[in-house]
Amino acid sequence: MKVLVIGGGGREHALVWKLAQSPHVTELWCAPGNAGIAREPLRSGTGTARCVPVDAEDLPALLKWASENRPDLTVVGPDNPLALGVVDLFQSHGLRAWGPTRDAARFEASKIFSQQFMERHGIPTARAATFTDPAEAIRYAETLGGRCAVKADGLALGKGVRVCRGIEEARTAIQDLMTRRVLGPAGERVVIQELLEGIEVSLHALCDGSAALPFPTAQDHKRLGDGNTGPNTGGMGTYSPTPFLSDAELAAAYDRILRPWQEGCRAEGILFRGVLYPGIMLTPAGPRVLEFNVRFGDPETQVYLTRLENDLFELLMAATEDKLSAHTLRWSPQTSVCIVMASAGYPGAYKKGCPIEGIEEAERIPGVKVFHAGTGWENGRFVTRGGRVLGVTATGPDLPAALQRAYRAVERIRFEGAQYRRDIAFQALEWKRAGRPA
Ligand code: AMP
Ligand code: GLY
């Protein structure tokens, strides 16, 4: 079978790596891919995955390429092509594509749609209201003492959310988004949520028209600096599983979120085939959904797929045919950790083209896989091409073992100005030190 993956980051490398292990997959392309993806061997023995020089958001060019090369399955990684309707476009040309349609992608593309859907269907979330008028938004923020999250309605490359702890901060955030329009039209309408305190975790569920198969928990680290300080990023590191919810609590959380979500989708005629990724806060009053994403998390995918034992190709094909209910997800009991190595300057402006050394050496450590996020190949070596450069991933029998392998691997890799967090999973380690149940 021939498979096309759309995207070119660490998540897509993990998707390609996992799809490449399927005996069904005999040809694997990635648009645009990256230098690591281009070297990923196929288990079926037919060479490596291949990069296609087409941008993930250039829908006409993707369609043209796919019409000529006829992949049996197209797997969409990032949110933007989904929100632009790439799945609808492919399907309307008789091409099988995995991921939500544009209509179903509104759970991520519109914070207002998502918030109101949660309220309509009793999904536990933060108290919130929606505004088009900055003065009214400020008045609402005042009623919360300025402790709130101000969220631009539209997609804003992860920059659309400002978490505020006081009224001055909230006022500035509202004025930046709504009056100064620093993010353009994405700030025309905002959702303001009450500030929720607690431990944040990622959930994922693989969904089709009738089933939703929940994943174990993972945790991302969105801030650049140790101790969750500094600016927000796309994600600096993940691990799975987390100790914060027992199996029973996790099942209850999924039940309280996924069941009403599925019923709501059915009632509103939304057919969702893809991954639903709720970002949740574990508050003293129970788990609350902060947001929905409609795709695999990045870098959550790197830790999930290194634990998933099923054939991913079979699962995604089944999802496109509403046959997921015949499958049970199987997870390795191992812990997986991913440490992101980023370019100097990220998440601001950063230099490209710095040579990277030590990837092979790092991968000699048992259980280590280095996923490429922003890399290229120049003059016979890997070079940096993006803000997030590598996702150094390790599995081990428990969290300390996986962390030790991952950091040993990171220490073998060198490029100019490389920055990474030294404290991935610190909340889990604190949790265990405090003697709380795993
Ligand atoms: P979102 O894109 O909506 O997940 O927001 C980005 C980040 O902002 C989340 O990962 C949280 O860390 C934080 N955040 C969002 N909403 C809230 C909230 N209501 N309370 C506290 N933190 C939040
Ligand atoms: N892990 C953050 C994201 O994928 O949005």
Side-chain angles (χ1 to χ4, degrees):
M1 294 281 200
K2 302 184 286 186
V3 180
L4 168 66
V5 174
I6 295 177
R11 163 186 45 214
E12 287 75 26
H13 190 181
L15 287 166
V16 162
W17 170 81
K18 185 68 182 162
L19 288 165
Q21 290 168 33
S22 168
H24 304 291
V25 176
T26 51
E27 254 185 289
L28 186 50
W29 299 286
C30 191
N34 61 42
I37 289 172
R39 279 156 190 79
E40 202 54 61
L42 267 57
R43 184 186 140 182
S44 58
T46 44
T48 65
R50 282 179 287 163
C51 293
V52 176
V54 176
D55 190 272
E57 293 175 28
D58 187 347
L59 269 50
L62 287 169
L63 178 65
K64 181 168 179 289
W65 187 91
S67 303
E68 287 163 11
N69 293 278
R70 305 303 303 178
D72 298 292
L73 175 68
T74 296
V75 176
V76 187
D79 47 351
N80 276 352
L82 293 169
L84 292 169
V86 71
V87 170
D88 314 57
L89 181 70
F90 272 45
Q91 284 174 352
S92 69
H93 287 79
L95 291 157
R96 184 192 297 257
W98 175 85
T101 59
R102 185 178 175 154
D103 181 54
R106 280 178 300 164
F107 284 106
E108 180 164 2
S110 169
K111 299 267 189 204
I112 294 178
F113 170 78
S114 208
Q115 185 70 36
Q116 293 178 346
F117 183 95
M118 288 195 271
E119 288 167 10
R120 277 198 297 281
H121 298 290
I123 297 169
T125 179
R127 195 150 53 94
T130 297
F131 300 94
T132 50
D133 175 37
E136 280 177 27
I138 290 172
R139 273 196 294 280
Y140 183 72
E142 280 165 358
T143 69
L144 299 172
R147 296 172 56 76
C148 61
V150 182
K151 306 189 173 190
D153 181 45
L155 286 179
L157 293 170
K159 297 195 178 100
V161 177
R162 298 266 285 265
V163 177
C164 309
R165 295 183 187 275
I167 190 61
E168 274 321 308
E169 224 182 319
R171 208 173 277 140
T172 308
I174 291 165
Q175 283 164 347
D176 280 354
L177 288 175
M178 301 190 79
T179 315
R180 285 192 280 279
R181 294 282 165 91
V182 295
L183 297 175
E188 231 162 75
R189 303 193 300 162
V190 302
V191 175
I192 299 185
Q193 287 181 335
E194 66 176 320
L195 185 79
L196 295 177
E197 307 270 14
I199 291 178
E200 197 178 334
V201 296
S202 302
L203 303 181
H204 280 51
L206 180 58
C207 305
D208 65 15
S210 52
L213 309 183
F215 287 22
T217 55
Q219 191 182 40
D220 191 9
H221 298 66
K222 291 194 179 165
R223 300 296 195 98
L224 181 70
D226 285 0
N228 289 347
T229 55
N232 254 318
T233 69
M236 294 300 291
T238 44
Y239 61 100
S240 173
T242 74
F244 311 117
L245 291 171
S246 67
D247 289 349
E249 287 166 335
L250 180 61
Y254 273 122
D255 194 53
R256 290 207 53 205
I257 296 165
L258 285 183
R259 217 166 22 89
W261 175 80
Q262 282 182 297
E263 281 163 16
C265 284
R266 231 163 271 142
E268 298 193 21
I270 299 168
L271 177 56
F272 188 101
R273 296 189 180 115
V275 161
L276 184 76
Y277 154 14
I280 68 168
M281 191 71 89
L282 302 176
T283 76
R288 296 282 180 273
V289 178
L290 299 176
E291 60 158 355
F292 283 127
N293 300 296
V294 298
R295 53 178 172 78
F296 279 105
D298 187 351
E300 284 88 340
T301 309
Q302 290 83 321
V303 292
Y304 278 138
L305 295 186
T306 45
R307 294 188 60 214
L308 182 70
E309 290 175 345
N310 303 64
D311 181 319
L312 183 65
F313 175 80
E314 289 177 4
L315 288 177
L316 301 186
M317 283 297 270
T320 64
E321 295 170 345
D322 291 334
K323 289 182 180 161
L324 270 182
S325 57
H327 293 258
T328 306
L329 300 184
R330 287 175 281 109
W331 300 96
S332 151
Q334 298 229 321
T335 296
S336 200
V337 171
C338 172
I339 318 281
V340 170
M341 297 182 76
S343 295
Y346 175 78
Y350 53 84
K351 190 169 147 188
K352 297 182 187 176
C354 304
I356 308 169
E357 282 166 33
I359 292 177
E360 265 181 44
E361 239 180 283
E363 286 191 322
R364 272 189 224 117
I365 298 170
V368 169
K369 169 72 193 170
V370 178
F371 292 113
H372 292 230
T375 66
W377 183 256
E378 277 172 25
N379 305 321
R381 58 188 183 180
F382 291 118
V383 296
T384 63
R385 274 272 162 83
R388 291 191 289 177
V389 177
L390 300 170
V392 180
T393 306
T395 49
D398 55 21
L399 179 62
L403 277 169
Q404 202 212 13
R405 287 176 173 180
Y407 278 111
R408 262 176 61 213
V410 164
E411 281 157 19
R412 292 188 182 182
I413 298 175
R414 292 166 302 279
F415 59 89
E416 189 190 319
Q419 45 171 350
Y420 59 91
R421 278 183 61 162
R422 266 79 174 166
D423 68 340
I424 296 304
F426 74 99
Q427 287 179 323
L429 296 174
E430 276 169 15
W431 182 276
K432 286 184 178 163
R433 265 199 297 274
R436 308 185 71 167

